[in-house]
Amino acid sequence: MTLTQNDHTDIGTLLAYALQPTQRPGRSQEYRRVLARYRTESDFRIATDAVLHGLHARVLSDADFGLVLGVSPESPFAFRVSDMPNAATRTGRLMAGLVLVGAAAYAYPTPPDLEDERIRRIPDVEFEQWLRSACEQMQVRDAAGEPVPDDGLDEAWRVYHEMPSTLVGDKGRASGRLSPKCTLYWVRNILGWLVEQGMARADSTGGTWMLTERFRIQVKDMASEPAYTFLADLARRRPTRPATSAQQSSENSVEES
């Protein structure tokens, strides 16, 4: 089959939807149409994958909630920690990276968790305390001469450990608000960013975020990263496993579509 100009336009349309993580096929007839072509037409799928290959990207999932892409560091679509909100400084990048990887380890500490499509919930205060406990464990290991197998993680836990859990501003526009100099600020900042990326939703009761299927797929793709594997190992060693405290939900990913 020779692809026509309309076919190439549809490929571009599909990729445009894929690069807008809050878009859902369930909300767009056009998205459903081009996604269906990717699923059912081999020539269309091969051509789409070839374009993505040239962009150093690949399809991680084409399920009902949309096309989820994985990208290499050299891709123009590659995610960088500095792209996250308020992460322009070294301290900001360390906090953003630690909280993001920590959320993945907290919600999905074992390989079976990464295969389980049930939505996981993250209560922000509980998660902040769990991550603080993980940093305390790294402090003990550091004192015993046991290295943390990731330079960024080794630097980040020290910064997190030195920050207070909460600190509220008392002057000007910052008055009454959490300060970037406390860890709960960074937990809420990054969970809020995940909402913007279509990888979480805020619970209506406040203080809890629900991780979506899109987040699980991205975590599964980066599960070999040293920082994630190290934190997930700490999570599995806890007397009360985070997968339990994260309040697994019987809801499934279909509601995202």
Side-chain angles (χ1 to χ4, degrees), residues 200-246:
R201 295 194 303 277
D203 188 284
S204 59
T205 61
T208 299
W209 278 259
M210 298 180 291
L211 302 176
T212 67
E213 178 71 353
R214 182 178 293 271
F215 185 72
R216 184 187 68 83
I217 291 169
Q218 294 292 348
V219 173
K220 186 178 178 181
D221 187 54
M222 51 77 75
S224 62
E225 295 293 327
Y228 165 78
T229 56
F230 186 80
L231 285 173
D233 181 61
L234 293 183
R236 291 193 296 271
R237 293 171 184 268
R238 283 176 59 82
T240 301
R241 287 180 48 191
T244 299
S245 59

Side-chain angles (χ1 to χ4, degrees), residues 13-225:
T13 300
L14 176 60
L15 297 185
Y17 279 118
L19 293 172
Q20 301 176 72
T22 58
Q23 291 283 346
R24 295 288 184 275
R27 304 170 190 162
S28 167
Q29 183 177 359
E30 182 70 352
Y31 194 176
R32 287 198 299 275
R33 183 184 69 79
V34 290
L35 180 62
R37 292 200 65 186
Y38 181 83
R39 287 171 164 176
T40 60
E41 299 178 27
S42 60
D43 289 338
F44 186 84
R45 184 186 190 100
I46 290 170
T48 302
D49 288 345
V51 171
L52 286 171
H53 181 72
L55 293 168
H56 300 284
R58 67 193 187 287
V59 174
L60 299 180
S61 173
D62 60 356
D64 291 343
F65 49 85
L67 203 69
V68 180
L69 304 180
V71 298
S72 303
E74 58 268 29
S75 172
F77 308 135
F79 158 77
R80 294 173 178 79
V81 175
S82 58
D83 296 333
M84 301 173 83
N86 305 316
T89 66
R90 177 67 178 169
T91 296
R93 291 192 292 275
L94 289 170
M95 287 296 91
L98 177 61
V99 171
L100 184 61
V101 177
Y106 177 86
Y108 308 102
T110 69
D113 290 320
L114 291 170
E115 302 297 333
D116 188 341
E117 296 184 358
R118 286 178 296 175
I119 292 175
R120 308 303 171 98
R121 298 172 187 266
I122 292 190
D124 52 17
V125 174
E126 180 179 314
F127 170 58
E128 190 281 328
Q129 289 300 308
W130 173 81
L131 194 51
R132 183 166 298 279
S133 174
C135 291
E136 290 170 353
Q137 293 179 64
M138 284 185 268
Q139 183 186 37
V140 171
R141 289 177 178 232
D142 181 63
E146 300 177 21
V148 174
D150 183 286
D151 290 342
L153 178 61
D154 188 45
E155 187 177 358
W157 78 256
R158 300 172 193 275
V159 176
Y160 192 101
H161 190 264
E162 291 178 359
M163 279 189 183
S165 296
T166 59
L167 181 65
V168 177
D170 58 2
K171 296 180 180 178
R173 297 177 59 186
S175 180
R177 298 181 178 179
L178 284 176
S179 166
K181 295 180 180 179
C182 74
T183 51
L184 186 58
Y185 167 89
W186 286 104
V187 166
R188 290 178 177 173
N189 185 56
I190 299 310
L191 290 174
W193 177 79
L194 286 177
V195 173
E196 296 175 0
Q197 302 305 309
M199 292 190 281
R201 295 194 303 277
D203 188 284
S204 59
T205 61
T208 299
W209 278 259
M210 298 180 291
L211 302 176
T212 67
E213 178 71 353
R214 182 178 293 271
F215 185 72
R216 184 187 68 83
I217 291 169
Q218 294 292 348
V219 173
K220 186 178 178 181
D221 187 54
M222 51 77 75
S224 62
E225 295 293 327

